[in-house]
Amino acid sequence: MPILEVTGIQKSFEGTQVLTDIHFSLEKGQVLSLIGSSGSGKTTLLRCLNFLEQPDNGIIRVNGETLFDAKDPSTQKAEEIRRKRLHFGLVFQSFNLFPQYTAKENVMLAKKLLMQEQPNFKARKKEIFKEIEAEAVSLLTQMGLKDRMDNYPHQLSGGQCQRVAIARALALKPDILCFDEPTSALDPELTGEVLKVIKRLAEQNTTMIIVTHEMAFARDVSDQVIFMDEGRILEQGTPKQVFGNPKEERTRQFLNRFTEG
C-alpha cells in the first residue's frame, strides 16, 4: 500500500485554475521531485498536501487513511486540520525560523506545544521537556550543527538556518517530509551543504517530496519525477525516463533550457 495517494486534486483561486486533476502515489522511503516552470502549480500542490490550502476537489490518503475528501465534510473540520498536518513536515524556502529563539529552541518549540495537550503532561512536564531537548540535540548534531545549537538565527548562515528548519520539521516525526525549493534563497556554496543533508536523508529512506529547480539534484536523488505545466502533471516517471527520454515536447523544452543554462 502506498504511503501517499493523491486522487483528482483540483484548486483554483478567484476563478483561475491552478491545479487540474492531479493524480499520483508515493511508496514509503521514496523521493519524489516536482519540477516545472515557476507558476506551474508545484508549490500550491505542496500547500494542499500540508493543508495550508484546501483543495476544491479530490482525495488525499496517507497510510490508507483518508485525510481529505472534497465530497466528505467530516474530513474538512477545522479542529482536524492540525492533526492532519502532523503527517507532513514542510521546509520552506525562506526558513521561517523564530528570531527570538536559538536553533535548539526553534527545533523544540512545536513538539513542546504539542505535548502540552497530552493528558499526563503536568505530571511529566520536566521529563517530557528533557526528552524533547535530547531529540533536538540529536537532530541538530545529524545536521552538522552540534556547535551551533545555542546560536540565534541572525548568527547563522543561510545554509545553517535551512538545516535548522529541516531538523525542526523532522522533530515531529512526519510520515512525509516536504521541501519547497529549499535552496532558492541560498548562494551556490550554501546550496551544496543543504543538498548534501537532503541526499543523506534519502539514503536513510526518508519519504520526501521536493519542489526544486536543481535538475541535476532531482535526477540523482529521486525515485520519481513529476513535471508540471500550467497546473497539470504533464509527465511522470523515473529520473531516467523523465530526464533521459521525455515523451512530451514541453518537457524537452523545459529540460533543454536548464541544460543550456
Side-chain angles (χ1 to χ4, degrees):
M1 180 178 66
I3 191 170
L4 174 65
E5 297 171 274
V6 174
T7 308
I9 291 295
Q10 303 205 55
K11 180 65 180 176
S12 63
F13 293 103
E14 298 180 351
T16 300
Q17 195 75 22
V18 179
L19 295 175
T20 302
D21 203 26
I22 302 294
H23 295 259
F24 69 90
S25 63
L26 187 63
E27 300 292 330
K28 185 175 175 61
Q30 284 191 332
V31 177
L32 166 65
S33 285
L34 302 177
I35 63 172
S37 301
S38 296
S40 60
K42 307 182 301 298
T43 293
T44 299
L45 175 56
L46 215 56
R47 288 177 65 84
C48 285
L49 293 176
N50 283 268
F51 301 100
L52 297 175
E53 302 286 353
Q54 182 167 303
D56 301 324
N57 200 11
I59 300 171
I60 300 170
R61 291 190 181 95
V62 173
N63 290 321
E65 178 189 357
T66 300
L67 301 189
F68 176 84
D69 184 343
K71 296 178 180 177
D72 182 358
S74 70
T75 67
Q76 300 165 43
K77 294 179 180 178
E79 62 267 23
E80 288 290 299
I81 292 297
R82 185 166 60 162
R83 181 187 69 81
K84 294 171 182 177
R85 283 179 182 155
L86 295 176
H87 290 281
F88 298 89
L90 180 57
V91 179
F92 300 89
Q93 54 184 289
S94 54
F95 325 138
N96 287 13
L97 299 179
F98 291 101
Q100 71 270 35
Y101 296 123
T102 65
K104 183 170 67 177
E105 289 168 341
N106 265 282
V107 175
M108 294 173 62
L109 185 60
K111 191 72 173 283
K112 286 172 75 172
L113 292 172
L114 186 67
M115 293 305 292
Q116 288 179 35
E117 299 175 4
Q118 299 299 314
N120 62 344
F121 171 75
K122 287 185 178 178
R124 295 188 59 238
K125 179 178 178 179
K126 203 169 183 179
E127 180 185 350
I128 288 171
F129 280 7
K130 277 190 175 180
E131 290 171 359
I132 293 172
E133 182 177 13
E135 288 176 0
V137 168
S138 175
L139 284 168
L140 287 168
T141 301
Q142 288 177 43
M143 296 296 122
L145 296 170
K146 184 177 181 180
D147 299 327
R148 295 285 190 171
M149 59 184 68
D150 292 321
N151 288 60
Y152 291 88
H154 75 272
Q155 298 171 314
L156 302 173
S157 70
Q160 290 168 338
C161 284
Q162 193 61 294
R163 283 183 278 158
V164 173
I166 294 170
R168 179 180 60 184
L170 288 169
L172 293 177
K173 298 181 172 60
D175 293 299
I176 302 160
L177 186 58
C178 301
F179 294 88
D180 184 13
E181 298 186 20
T183 60
S184 66
L186 306 176
D187 63 40
E189 187 176 350
L190 299 179
T191 291
E193 66 184 52
V194 172
L195 295 182
K196 280 181 186 176
V197 168
I198 299 174
K199 187 170 279 191
R200 191 160 64 241
L201 290 171
E203 291 167 355
Q204 296 167 359
N205 294 319
T206 305
T207 309
M208 293 186 282
I209 300 175
I210 307 170
V211 171
T212 184
H213 287 299
E214 301 282 344
M215 294 299 108
F217 175 72
R219 183 191 60 216
D220 294 343
V221 79
S222 305
D223 298 287
Q224 291 188 57
V225 177
I226 285 176
F227 172 66
M228 294 185 66
D229 187 56
E230 296 184 348
R232 298 176 182 271
I233 292 178
L234 199 61
E235 190 141 6
Q236 180 175 1
T238 65
K240 186 176 181 181
Q241 291 167 337
V242 174
F243 289 102
N245 188 28
K247 298 175 183 176
E248 301 293 331
E249 176 61 26
R250 179 71 186 91
T251 314
R252 286 193 288 272
Q253 290 173 358
F254 174 79
L255 293 173
N256 285 341
R257 196 176 79 231
F258 275 93
T259 303
E260 291 164 4

